[in-house]
């Protein structure tokens, strides 16, 4: 009586782990690292420390002045994520065309962008920042002379708004009044705003609407879609890099996010207890095989994404 050739099952398990190792070579692929600072941790509860401001240079007249470094904390809790699929035993052991390996590669290729998904969710959730306000807020405290500062708007993206956002970023100040030095160099939009974003950032000309009296008037409306392959599209056309994220659709199709990736701080912070790891139940003796005659494959990770430094990002939250 013939019995199951276990080498076929073992080969499938090896293939799954080899493909996973290829996909997650160093860290999950995607554009998430443009706005996320990923750190390693060995704790379930993480205290995120932020240095807001360092002492500034002053003329040395009289005694030196010693100021405490401005610091703040936020607490984040590690969460566990998974993505899983099943293969029927008979489909696996009778595969003579390599279908199983192709299916695994396609599935893992899509699953690889898990951190793009998690960072998107953290951005649109607009959670509480270390200063007690939302990551994107019009009332961030501890500005010069006790003033509040803003890094958000409900104004739609346009040439005029682009200029206003760039000015707003360069106008941000520390408590001391010193400029933070923000210059946004990444613009993240969805497919609807892709054409407009490329036009704004990639051209030295400005498209305007002109009324009968010859004065600028009206609203410039543009929408464009483009194919997306698994992750995001990237467009390098000028001083600002455009990233087209296919997750910014529906409710979020008019949202836009600016980032300054040069400041050594990020809009989001991620803490990784366990990076994406391949896990399988692919033995003839496993419960799933015994009861449902199938093998199970998963990618699991223990990680959390939360608000980081609000100063390096700006969001258009347009309903």
């Amino acid at each position: 009586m013939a019995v199951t050739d276990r080498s076929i099952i073992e080969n499938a398990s090896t293939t799954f782990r080899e493909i996973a190792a290829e996909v997650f070579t160093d860290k999950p692929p995607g554009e998430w690292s443009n706005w996320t600072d990923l750190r390693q941790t060995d704790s379930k509860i993480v205290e995120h420390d932020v240095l807001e401001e360092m002492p500034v240079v002053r003329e040395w007249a009289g005694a030196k002045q010693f100021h405490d470094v401005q610091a703040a904390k936020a607490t984040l809790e590690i969460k566990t994520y998974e993505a899983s699929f099943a293969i029927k035993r008979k489909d696996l052991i009778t595969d003579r065309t390599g279908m199983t390996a192709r299916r695994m590669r396609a599935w893992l290729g899509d699953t690889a962008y898990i951190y793009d998904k998690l960072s998107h969710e953290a951005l649109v959730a607009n959670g509480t920042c270390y200063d007690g306000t939302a990551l994107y807020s019009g009332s961030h405290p501890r500005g010069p002379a006790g003033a509040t500062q803003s890094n958000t708007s409900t104004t739609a993206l346009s040439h005029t708004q682009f200029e206003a956002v760039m000015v707003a970023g360069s106008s941000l100040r520390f408590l001391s009044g010193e400029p933070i030095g923000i210059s946004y160099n990444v613009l993240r939009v969805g497919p609807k705003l892709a054409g407009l974003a490329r036009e704004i950032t990639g051209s030295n000309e400005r498209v305007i609407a002109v009324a009968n009296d010859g004065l600028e008037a009206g609203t410039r409306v543009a929408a464009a879609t483009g194919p997306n392959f698994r992750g995001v599209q990237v467009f390098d056309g000028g001083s600002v890099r455009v990233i087209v994220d296919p997750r910014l659709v529906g409710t979020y199709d008019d949202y836009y996010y600016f980032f300054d990736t040069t400041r050594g701080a990020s809009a989001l912070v991620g803490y990784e207890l366990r990076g994406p790891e391949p896990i399988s139940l692919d033995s003839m003796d496993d419960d799933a095989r015994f009861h449902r005659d199938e093998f199970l494959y998963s990618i699991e990770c223990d990680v959390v994404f939360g608000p980081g430094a609000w100063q390096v990002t700006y969001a258009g939250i347009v309903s």
Side-chain angles (χ1 to χ4, degrees), residues 19-306:
I19 296 174
E22 292 175 14
V23 170
F24 300 104
T25 303
D26 179 27
K27 57 185 180 181
E31 295 295 331
W32 58 272
S33 58
N34 284 287
W35 45 82
T36 307
D37 177 18
L38 184 65
R39 307 172 185 181
Q40 302 301 310
T41 183
D42 57 3
S43 300
K44 178 182 177 182
I45 305 296
V46 181
E47 279 197 343
H48 171 46
D49 295 315
V50 179
L51 294 181
E52 279 197 276
E53 183 171 9
M54 299 294 286
V56 298
V57 174
R58 59 179 288 273
E59 181 184 1
W60 188 358
K64 289 183 178 179
Q65 295 181 4
F66 294 89
H67 301 278
D68 291 335
V69 173
Q70 297 293 317
K73 291 183 178 181
T75 300
L76 300 171
E77 182 174 353
I78 297 293
K79 299 179 181 179
T80 299
Y81 296 91
E82 60 83 19
S84 307
F85 74 103
I87 296 179
K88 290 293 185 181
R89 176 187 57 84
K90 286 185 290 186
D91 290 339
L92 190 152
I93 65 174
T94 60
D95 177 20
R96 299 294 181 267
T97 64
M99 177 274 296
T100 300
R102 290 194 299 273
R103 181 177 174 185
M104 286 179 175
R105 186 173 294 278
W107 181 81
L108 284 167
D110 290 332
T111 305
Y113 291 86
I114 182 173
Y115 282 7
D116 269 356
K117 173 180 169 58
L118 297 181
S119 70
H120 163 78
E121 292 173 351
L123 286 173
V124 299
N126 199 20
T128 302
C129 199
Y130 66 86
D131 62 5
T133 66
L135 174 61
Y136 297 105
S137 169
S139 57
H140 286 288
R142 296 193 284 274
T148 59
Q149 301 184 95
S150 175
N151 68 334
T152 187
S153 173
T154 58
T155 302
L157 182 64
S158 66
H159 288 79
T160 300
Q161 179 61 5
F162 177 86
E163 295 165 2
V165 171
M166 299 303 278
V167 170
S170 63
S171 300
L172 292 175
R173 295 290 186 268
F174 289 118
L175 179 64
S176 63
E178 284 294 301
I180 298 177
I182 299 300
S183 180
Y184 303 117
N185 63 332
V186 171
L187 171 57
R188 172 178 175 256
V189 297
K192 179 180 177 181
L193 296 181
L196 177 57
R198 290 166 178 161
E199 178 184 293
I200 291 171
T201 62
S203 174
N204 59 8
E205 297 179 348
R206 182 177 172 211
V207 178
I208 62 174
V210 179
N212 291 331
D213 58 7
L215 299 177
E216 182 179 347
T219 302
R220 166 81 168 70
V221 179
T225 59
N228 290 282
F229 181 69
R230 291 182 179 163
V232 295
Q233 289 182 312
V234 177
F235 172 73
D236 294 297
S239 60
V240 176
R241 181 169 176 256
V242 175
I243 293 177
V244 182
D245 192 331
R247 291 179 177 83
L248 287 176
V249 294
T251 302
Y252 312 113
D253 61 0
D254 286 316
Y255 283 34
Y256 54 90
Y257 295 85
F258 285 83
F259 304 96
D260 183 342
T261 65
T262 69
R263 303 304 300 166
S266 298
L268 296 178
V269 61
Y271 284 93
E272 188 180 70
L273 177 63
R274 176 180 56 144
E277 179 181 15
I279 303 294
S280 59
L281 288 177
D282 49 10
S283 166
M284 288 294 291
D285 301 325
D286 286 329
D287 185 74
R289 211 296 308 169
F290 185 84
H291 289 284
R292 299 187 299 277
D293 202 18
E294 61 186 14
F295 300 121
L296 307 180
Y297 299 89
S298 289
I299 293 295
E300 302 174 0
C301 62
D302 301 320
V303 66
V304 64
F305 285 68

